[in-house]
Amino acid sequence: MTDELVFYTNPMSRGRMVRWMLEEAGAPYRTELLDYGTTMKAAAYLAINPMGKVPAIRHGGMVVTETPAICAYLADAFPAAGLAPAPGDKLRGAYYRWLSFAAGPLESATVNTALGVVIPEGKDRMAGYGSLGQTLDTIEGELGREYLVGDSFTAADLYLGFLLNWGMMFGMVAKRTAFAAYTARMNARPAAMRASETDNALMPPPA
């Protein structure tokens, strides 16, 4: 696809994950940096995402919001980067599974932990993740190999690696040996380092 790709973000957001994905995809893109409470809530951006949240992308006439959807879209829009099993590949189901697991149970469990949300006793079935411990145990059981799906890096690894790293950094995820080893490999990828360096440079100076 040759249409311009515009990336709407803020360096203190999940946009950091999408920038990493863009770097992995090798996609030429233009960044629109938005501020919370001002340009992010202005009419021009609300026409892109009525929720007034980042990240979002516009690829020609296609607008995509929600981080997992953006990652999945980019993997398919730039197939030469090999960031997802091809349609029809027998690994496609596992790829969808783990991308969704990271974006669903893991993100919900860690965010609820950060917010101090406590699931009442006997109500864990109402939470899609059951419990944080159960979610982390399930992930740990999959990290005996280098990558989540097959023998190559995919968007599922990117999403899981980012969230595990974020969770450990802020004390929401225990620094289990398997998690530390996995995130170290993900963070060492050249695209991850380029994306982090770019976003770090855009961070506001300390108050």
Side-chain angles (χ1 to χ4, degrees):
M1 299 179 70
T2 58
D3 292 323
E4 181 185 35
L5 201 166
V6 183
F7 170 43
Y8 302 90
T9 190
N10 181 288
M12 298 176 67
S13 76
R14 291 172 178 82
R16 295 181 77 100
M17 198 184 314
V18 171
R19 189 183 296 279
W20 178 9
M21 186 69 189
L22 287 163
E23 293 293 330
E24 291 282 0
Y29 64 94
R30 175 170 63 84
T31 300
E32 290 280 347
L33 194 63
L34 302 176
D35 294 320
Y36 289 100
T38 56
T39 50
M40 208 177 293
K41 304 299 182 183
Y45 184 65
L46 292 177
I48 298 293
N49 185 357
M51 292 289 288
K53 292 178 176 289
V54 293
I57 62 169
R58 177 168 51 81
H59 193 194
M62 175 71 70
V63 170
V64 188
T65 67
E66 314 317 313
T67 308
I70 296 170
C71 290
Y73 174 85
L74 291 171
D76 287 346
F78 299 93
L83 296 170
D89 189 299
K90 64 181 181 180
L91 293 174
R92 189 82 168 181
Y95 162 72
Y96 283 136
R97 176 192 180 189
W98 292 112
L99 179 60
S100 298
F101 193 93
L106 177 59
E107 186 158 2
S108 296
T110 52
V111 169
N112 279 353
T113 298
L115 295 175
V117 174
V118 178
I119 305 298
E121 186 176 354
K123 300 290 187 180
D124 56 316
R125 287 181 297 176
M126 297 180 67
Y129 57 85
S131 68
L132 177 60
Q134 182 181 8
T135 298
L136 297 180
D137 288 346
T138 299
I139 292 169
E140 186 174 21
E142 296 296 318
L143 297 185
R145 52 186 183 273
E146 188 171 3
Y147 300 111
L148 281 172
V149 180
D151 57 2
S152 63
F153 176 87
T154 68
D157 289 298
L158 185 152
Y159 212 106
L160 179 66
F162 185 96
L163 288 182
L164 284 177
N165 189 67
W166 175 74
M168 290 190 293
M169 185 182 304
F170 290 99
M172 294 171 288
V173 171
K175 294 181 179 179
R176 302 184 185 186
T177 301
F179 297 165
Y182 179 74
T183 56
R185 293 197 305 274
M186 300 303 109
N187 292 339
R189 294 181 63 82
M193 292 189 287
R194 287 196 306 272
S196 183
E197 182 178 353
T198 298
D199 276 322
N200 288 344
L202 293 171
M203 291 286 285

